[in-house]
Amino acid sequence: MYNVFSLNGTKIINNPLENTIITAIGDSFVRNSLPLTDQWPYLIAARNGAESINMGVGGEPLRTMVQSERYKNINSNSSYIIVFTGANDVHYDYTPLGSITDETTTTFYGCLNILCRDLMNLYPTAKILFITPTHRTDLYDYKPYVNAIKEVCYKYSLPVWDAYGESGILLGNVNGVTEQSNIYELSPLHLNKAGNEYISYKIEAIIKML
């Protein structure tokens, strides 16, 4: 519950996350080697009286998630489904980009079309948020994949947080920024405890508005 002061006194506004289930699915930006209690899905839930389910798999590309259909195992009572994926399709287990009309599990666009449609049909009352890959290293160009996520989610009227352009932190000593890497990165490709806490507040603010 929130206390909000107005001209007429104090009003009580319900916390939209309280007593909900928040499910996060994706790669190592959802779950890495840190304890689960140090990672952003748990931190958001703990602050808001919610339950978190962390379905992250380190090293998993979007293509593998869709081909395995493991997203069909998301708890059907989830109030929020947060999909944070795409980086591994670029730098770890390459997935061709394809085109926005694709309906195949072998291209990035195709997997996005399948995943968006299935999530909306399987969990019609859940509030769904996609998060793009962040800057991780200057060795790979994530921008076409970031843009694909935004383009397909726009097609399905699903909200996207552009973490690539709006996270506020850079990992991997990108563009000459070194001090933030020292503070927030577990490795050039992963967030440490401080990094997870940092983005947890950003993600929390977004899902409270869904």
Side-chain angles (χ1 to χ4, degrees):
M1 305 288 283
Y2 297 118
N3 289 330
V4 177
F5 292 94
S6 68
L7 293 177
N8 297 321
T10 301
K11 293 182 179 180
I12 303 299
I13 300 176
N14 289 329
N15 180 350
L17 305 187
E18 189 173 13
N19 298 319
T20 65
I21 296 175
I22 302 169
T23 296
I25 189 168
D27 55 29
S28 57
F29 253 52
V30 177
R31 183 171 185 172
N32 59 32
S33 60
L34 293 173
L36 282 175
T37 52
D38 290 338
Q39 302 191 36
W40 63 263
Y42 177 87
L43 296 174
I44 293 172
R47 287 195 297 265
N48 291 279
E51 176 186 348
S52 67
I53 300 176
N54 191 319
M55 295 181 65
V57 174
E60 180 189 61
L62 169 67
R63 186 188 72 256
T64 300
M65 182 202 302
V66 173
Q67 289 176 346
S68 68
E69 297 187 334
R70 74 181 188 90
Y71 61 87
K72 293 184 177 181
N73 296 322
I74 289 174
N75 187 313
S76 61
N77 293 318
S78 296
S79 301
Y80 297 88
I81 298 172
I82 305 171
V83 183
F84 199 165
T85 186
N88 290 310
D89 294 273
V90 181
H91 75 255
Y92 181 71
D93 190 1
Y94 176 69
T95 304
L97 190 62
S99 68
I100 194 168
T101 59
D102 286 351
E103 294 289 341
T104 173
T105 62
T106 57
T107 69
F108 195 72
Y109 270 109
C111 289
L112 284 169
N113 276 309
I114 292 167
L115 181 59
C116 288
R117 185 168 53 247
D118 280 358
L119 289 178
M120 296 180 81
N121 283 327
L122 290 167
Y123 315 102
T125 62
K127 296 175 180 178
I128 301 167
L129 173 70
F130 275 72
I131 302 177
T132 74
T134 67
H135 286 265
R136 294 189 179 186
T137 168
D138 57 6
L139 298 177
Y140 306 96
D141 185 7
Y142 295 99
K143 292 189 293 295
Y145 290 76
V146 169
N147 290 333
I149 292 172
K150 292 192 286 185
E151 188 177 4
V152 174
C153 286
Y154 185 87
K155 174 181 172 181
Y156 288 94
S157 191
L158 289 174
V160 178
W161 179 42
D162 182 359
Y164 188 87
E166 300 175 2
S167 69
I169 56 176
L170 290 173
L171 303 184
N173 300 323
V174 174
N175 299 329
V177 177
T178 58
E179 293 306 309
Q180 284 192 336
S181 296
N182 295 334
I183 296 170
Y184 295 120
E185 74 174 33
L186 181 66
S187 73
L189 301 179
H190 302 102
L191 292 170
N192 62 14
K193 181 178 179 180
N196 271 273
E197 183 173 13
Y198 177 94
I199 68 163
S200 74
Y201 284 101
K202 298 242 178 181
I203 297 169
E204 178 182 331
I206 294 166
I207 62 176
K208 281 182 175 177
M209 295 188 294
L210 294 180

